[in-house]
């Protein structure tokens, strides 16, 4: 189980989207769950994303400023779900 950084609920990692910061500091979405680096998980729910953006939970969890485009990609994924 993994914890969503938006709502704080514990869910199976298959139900969550993984955001990963590579050892080089690049932030991306990891759909296979196999990328190396520090990961954080979020529900595929726009409300969770809004909470995470407001609280800067992703920035804190990955210890890096999250690029706007990563949030944009997360939004698209959630819309297309």
């Amino acid at each position: 189980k993994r914890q969503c950084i938006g709502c704080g609920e514990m869910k199976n990692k298959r139900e969550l989207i993984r955001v990963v910061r590579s050892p080089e500091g690049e932030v991306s979405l990891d759909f296979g769950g196999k990328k190396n680096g520090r990961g954080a998980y979020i529900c595929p729910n726009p409300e969770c994303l809004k909470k995470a953006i407001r609280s800067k939970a992703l920035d804190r969890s990955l210890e890096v400023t999250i690029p706007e485009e990563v949030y944009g990609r997360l939004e698209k994924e959630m819309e297309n779900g």
Side-chain angles (χ1 to χ4, degrees), residues 9-81:
E9 281 183 39
M10 299 298 284
K11 299 194 174 180
N12 288 326
K13 65 181 186 181
R14 294 194 192 296
E15 297 171 39
L16 300 166
I17 298 173
R18 182 172 188 245
V19 183
V20 66
R21 185 198 75 209
S22 71
E24 297 76 44
E26 184 187 344
V27 179
S28 60
L29 306 189
D30 178 15
F31 297 104
K34 299 273 188 274
K35 287 186 182 173
N36 275 337
R38 184 168 173 81
Y41 293 83
I42 188 164
C43 294
N45 176 339
E47 283 307 306
C48 290
L49 181 58
K50 279 188 194 131
K51 284 182 196 163
I53 291 172
R54 268 204 308 271
S55 66
K56 292 216 179 292
L58 260 181
D59 304 58
R60 282 202 311 274
S61 183
L62 299 179
E63 299 163 353
V64 68
T65 301
I66 306 298
E68 271 307 306
E69 68 185 40
V70 171
Y71 287 132
R73 285 196 55 203
L74 279 166
E75 274 173 21
K76 278 205 182 71
E77 280 306 315
M78 291 173 185
E79 284 166 14
N80 301 337

